[in-house]
Amino acid sequence: MTNQITTPPAPHKRPRRIGTVLSFVLALAVLTYVGNWFAAAFWLEGRIEDWAGAERAKGNEVTFGTLRFEGFPFAMSILAPDILYRRNREAVVETITADRLRLSARPWSPLDLTLTAENGLTAVQKAPAQGTTVTLTSAPDTMINARFYSSGVLEHARLDAAGGRLVSQRDGDPTGPREAARLGATVATLDQADSIVSHADAAAVVSITANRVETPALKQLGTAADHARLSLEATLRGALSGTGAQDLALWRDAGGTVDIDRFTLSFDPVALRLNATLALDQLLRPEGAGTLEIKGFDEAIENLVSVGHLTRDAAEVARLVLGAFSRTSNTDATRVVSMPVSAQDGRVSAGPFTLFRFSAF
């Protein structure tokens, strides 16, 4: 029997073979990534078209220019020009426009999106029956980060705006549009549950913070403050499928409520703090109760006297009434008024005072 000896390959051939395999694997990975990029981009475009089609089926108007893909290879970016979204909510017509809206995401995380209104957003709410129009314009590069569950339900959203401007107008008013407020840096977040079992379950948590709110109303109150600060934290309980009258009625009938966990409005030297639980009545007006705290009410009353909104005698009565609800702050020894607030039959009251009224939805 003859022994056969196998000669091993030359040493230089093995590295070459390994290099060939690695090159093949790398090329395959690149092709796979490119394929996934385009697949994810086309999937995202399809979701946009599906959303637009669903909104149009509801009777809403959705238009936009030709979509343009950008960002390859490390990001998916779709630029949509001339965006218009309009819905007719019975007595109110709402319109949102943006001339350049960019939607971007990572190919490996298409459910985590960023929308950037490069030249800002404009939102208009028009109530023809009341003859009023309210317009909100945001600063350039307003951003919305949105994350979705795999089911397609929105999980988290965050809006960041460097500023904004709120203008109101009434038909027939010879003075024309009036600036209601200017907003500084504003952040709003929404966290939403994927599914709701009971009306007591938290369906969504909302947070809004505006570090600077300039409004002519401050001067009308006689305060020397040139701006106010605002923050809100609220919890929506119960499943709410939309904001139309029928959606709100179904949510109300199922026991839905809103917990205002904390609302604060401060304009030196006055600060307001509110917490309350609200529902909707048969006319879809807020109803409920809570507690309002007012710090610096002595200064506020004096300011109202100085601008002529209160007479001196009325101011003394107000001090006596509010004094019955007051306590001394543990932090700076100032007086703080704590009084019950309620909303019923379209009327919002704080203690014995009626603040304002709500009309039916």
Side-chain angles (χ1 to χ4, degrees):
M1 182 174 179
T2 304
N3 291 329
Q4 295 182 349
I5 300 175
T6 303
T7 303
H12 68 277
K13 293 184 178 181
R14 185 172 300 167
R16 184 180 300 173
R17 183 178 302 171
I18 293 175
T20 301
V21 173
L22 289 177
S23 299
F24 176 78
V25 171
L26 181 61
L28 183 61
V30 170
L31 290 174
T32 301
Y33 179 84
V34 171
N36 286 338
W37 190 96
F38 282 100
F42 286 124
W43 175 85
L44 196 56
E45 181 186 22
R47 295 301 295 265
I48 294 173
E49 296 290 353
D50 291 344
W51 170 82
E55 290 297 320
R56 292 176 183 132
K58 297 176 184 177
N60 301 325
E61 182 180 355
V62 180
T63 62
F64 47 84
T66 303
L67 302 179
R68 190 172 73 195
F69 289 90
E70 299 175 348
F72 181 82
F74 299 114
M76 291 185 305
S77 178
I78 299 178
L79 179 63
D82 304 324
I83 299 287
L84 182 144
Y85 172 77
R86 179 180 290 121
R87 67 173 180 175
N88 192 335
R89 205 178 64 178
E90 299 180 3
V92 176
V93 179
E94 298 173 336
T95 305
I96 298 176
T97 57
D99 59 355
R100 286 174 62 87
L101 185 63
R102 184 178 300 278
L103 187 151
S104 56
R106 300 297 181 184
W108 53 86
S109 184
L111 296 179
D112 195 348
L113 310 174
T114 299
L115 290 89
T116 304
E118 297 183 344
N119 295 324
L121 289 169
T122 299
V124 180
Q125 188 178 77
K126 187 176 181 61
Q130 300 176 4
T132 58
T133 302
V134 178
T135 304
L136 176 63
T137 305
S138 74
D141 292 327
T142 295
M143 296 180 61
I144 300 175
N145 296 105
R147 184 173 65 248
F148 293 84
Y149 292 103
S150 58
S151 61
V153 175
L154 179 66
E155 176 185 358
H156 171 81
R158 175 188 171 101
L159 179 145
D160 286 273
R165 183 169 179 258
L166 186 66
V167 174
S168 64
Q169 183 175 7
R170 184 174 292 275
D171 294 347
D173 188 346
T175 60
R178 302 189 182 199
E179 185 175 80
R182 283 183 179 270
L183 304 176
T186 302
V187 177
T189 64
L190 169 68
D191 290 280
Q192 185 168 261
D194 190 14
S195 60
I196 306 299
V197 177
S198 167
H199 70 275
D201 292 341
V205 177
V206 179
S207 173
I208 302 173
T209 301
N211 65 358
R212 187 178 184 90
V213 180
E214 300 175 11
T215 170
L218 292 177
K219 298 300 180 185
Q220 295 170 5
L221 291 173
T223 177
D226 61 353
H227 71 279
R229 294 178 296 276
L230 179 149
S231 66
L232 167 70
E233 292 179 5
T235 302
L236 174 74
R237 299 190 180 277
L240 179 61
S241 57
T243 56
Q246 185 176 5
D247 301 315
L248 292 172
L250 290 173
W251 173 73
R252 174 202 62 201
D253 295 342
T257 59
V258 173
D259 295 335
I260 301 178
D261 304 308
R262 181 176 61 86
F263 171 81
T264 61
L265 178 66
S266 58
F267 43 96
D268 296 335
V270 181
L272 309 178
R273 183 184 179 96
L274 170 71
N275 60 77
T277 298
L278 301 174
L280 295 176
D281 65 12
Q282 292 303 310
L283 297 180
L284 302 182
R285 299 172 301 189
E287 65 174 3
T291 302
L292 174 66
E293 292 186 350
I294 308 173
K295 185 177 180 180
F297 72 92
D298 288 310
E299 294 88 345
I301 291 174
E302 197 60 38
N303 289 338
L304 290 173
V305 172
S306 67
V307 295
H309 291 323
L310 278 180
T311 65
R312 182 61 62 181
D313 290 341
E316 293 303 323
V317 173
R319 280 195 179 93
L320 289 173
V321 174
L322 292 174
F325 296 96
S326 68
R327 59 177 174 81
T328 301
S329 172
N330 295 327
T331 57
D332 54 11
T334 58
R335 286 208 295 171
V336 178
V337 170
S338 180
M339 64 173 61
V341 293
S342 62
Q344 189 172 13
D345 298 328
R347 184 176 67 250
V348 178
S349 303
F353 306 104
T354 297
L355 302 179
F356 53 86
R357 295 178 180 274
F358 280 109
S359 58
F361 184 87

